[in-house]
Amino acid sequence: MSAARRRWLIAARIGAGVALVSAVMFGAGPACDTPDPTAITEIDAPSYDQFVGQNLSATQAGVSQVLEIRCGSLDCHGQVGRALRIYGEFGLRFVDGDADNQPGTGATTDTEHEANYQSVIGLQPEYMTLVYEGYYPPEALLLIRKPLQLERHKGGAVFVSGDATYQCITSWLESGGDAGGSTDYDQCGAAAQQ
Amino acid sequence: MTNRSVTRSPLGVALLVLPMAAAVVAACDADPVHTAAVNALGPEVSGIPKGEYHRAGQPCVTCHGGEGPASTVFTIAGTVFYGPANNPNTPPIGVGNASVLLEDDSTSEPPIPVTTNCVGNFYLKPSDWPGHPEFPVLVTVQGQPENTNLEVSMQSHIGRDGSCSDCHQYPTNLNYFQTPGLVHLSPTDDPNFQGTDPNCPVNPVPPGFGGGP
């Protein structure tokens, strides 16, 4: 190897090293920033009242009840470790809530309904807003994508497009925007019976 | 300056690389979560050999789910107890000859009877119900201990977990919010019930509750 080529190689290695260190420091800087504790993400979300269900007949149900039955078993989303965490009468119970119930005893409480609502709308807050305001279809949300198997879902397919569960949840999601609308409690009731 | 050319024989390379590869494989745990779950179950209890009577009340499919360490694979397995055993004076007691009725999402049922042994254990192997279960699964348990006729159905479905006791745990003040309690036939305990088979080779009270070999 010639002396000139050797000098060139050494210079190239030094240059690469400097570039690597700079890149690491440049990348680490923003990563070490402290998150702004005052920052909030505002969510324009579907109605809580319709999530729980109002003035329901014996054959109707709210969205929360459908999620409790279809998604919230203790071996699925009725677990504290799930990002989508569902509480309910037959699944996970809210600790230090208004009842301190055990699974299978006592109806789903107001605290548990509120926790379910926050879990659902907070899963993808920005997308939830865009879906509710009609900019995106419900299929943009993991809440719909996973049970439809459009994305990997360890629990497999839970419903199919157009069935009662799908119509129940999507009618609630799409109850905002210009078109307006309301949750289809009849479909929710049918889904809760499946 | 001189150029040096270093050559190694294939055997030399193999002797260098193989121990390194072995060390890497040994250091890596393919699934540390599974390993931790297996380790959390603890060792076998002295006097209860590995087999159909061991580890009553534990989550069977943790070890028997195909990831090991057990070689026999179960799709659904668990233990049926007599009562809820939520009183310290009434420990859980396994019930034998109880029928476990299963129906999966395709309305299929196991083609063979699923029955508990004398410590309350039952299990289904993949070959017992080929291609099934398709979750969710509905469950009912029936039994006739002490000349009674008891039946209880699970109020919700099994979503995906083949181990009953992953959810059906002995209830304490630390887990009451996430378990409906043990799988049990009778809504109340019976202090006189001592098991369904006096000749059972293993005490139907799990070792952690005063039972054992």
Side-chain angles (χ1 to χ4, degrees), chain A residues 116-147:
Chain A
N116 291 346
Y117 179 72
Q118 290 175 9
S119 181
V120 169
I121 68 167
L123 193 63
Q124 293 176 288
E126 296 87 356
Y127 277 100
M128 177 59 74
T129 297
L130 293 169
V131 168
Y132 178 61
E133 293 180 350
Y135 294 105
Y136 282 0
E139 281 77 3
L141 292 168
L142 291 174
L143 181 70
I144 301 297
R145 296 183 65 77
K146 281 183 171 264

Side-chain angles (χ1 to χ4, degrees), chain A residues 69 75 82 93 95 100 102-103, chain B residues 157 159-161 176-177 179:
Chain A
I69 292 171
D75 56 346
R82 297 276 177 251
R93 305 317 300 259
V95 177
D100 266 354
Q102 190 178 8
Chain B
H157 59 241
R160 70 180 193 211
D161 193 333
Y176 71 93
F177 58 93
T179 181

Side-chain angles (χ1 to χ4, degrees), chain A:
Chain A
M1 182 186 293
S2 70
R5 181 173 169 74
R6 193 158 172 262
R7 278 197 298 276
W8 183 88
L9 272 175
I10 292 170
R13 284 175 181 165
I14 291 173
V18 169
L20 180 64
V21 170
S22 301
V24 168
M25 292 179 69
F26 184 75
C32 295
D33 281 351
T34 304
D36 180 0
T38 63
I40 59 171
T41 299
E42 292 187 359
I43 310 174
D44 190 10
S47 154
Y48 170 73
D49 287 342
Q50 291 187 31
F51 181 76
V52 178
Q54 302 292 311
N55 303 316
L56 301 174
S57 71
T59 58
Q60 293 178 325
V63 177
S64 184
Q65 187 182 346
V66 173
L67 295 176
E68 290 165 34
I69 292 171
R70 305 303 301 272
C71 314
S73 61
L74 287 165
D75 56 346
C76 294
H77 287 276
Q79 295 186 11
V80 291
R82 297 276 177 251
L84 176 64
R85 184 191 302 174
I86 302 295
Y87 296 92
E89 178 177 358
F90 300 114
L92 181 67
R93 305 317 300 259
F94 198 94
V95 177
D96 294 329
D98 30 17
D100 266 354
N101 283 323
Q102 190 178 8
T105 59
T108 304
T109 65
D110 291 343
T111 307
E112 290 167 337
H113 281 136
E114 289 168 14
N116 291 346
Y117 179 72
Q118 290 175 9
S119 181
V120 169
I121 68 167
L123 193 63
Q124 293 176 288
E126 296 87 356
Y127 277 100
M128 177 59 74
T129 297
L130 293 169
V131 168
Y132 178 61
E133 293 180 350
Y135 294 105
Y136 282 0
E139 281 77 3
L141 292 168
L142 291 174
L143 181 70
I144 301 297
R145 296 183 65 77
K146 281 183 171 264
L148 284 180
Q149 288 277 62
L150 300 176
E151 276 191 37
R152 184 185 177 278
H153 183 221
K154 193 170 181 181
V158 180
F159 53 78
V160 297
S161 184
D163 74 3
T165 307
Y166 175 89
Q167 292 191 45
C168 167
I169 300 174
T170 56
S171 66
W172 174 69
L173 291 170
E174 293 180 312
S175 57
D178 293 335
S182 58
T183 304
D184 192 333
Y185 293 141
D186 291 329
Q187 293 292 346
C188 294
Q193 295 301 317
Q194 289 177 345

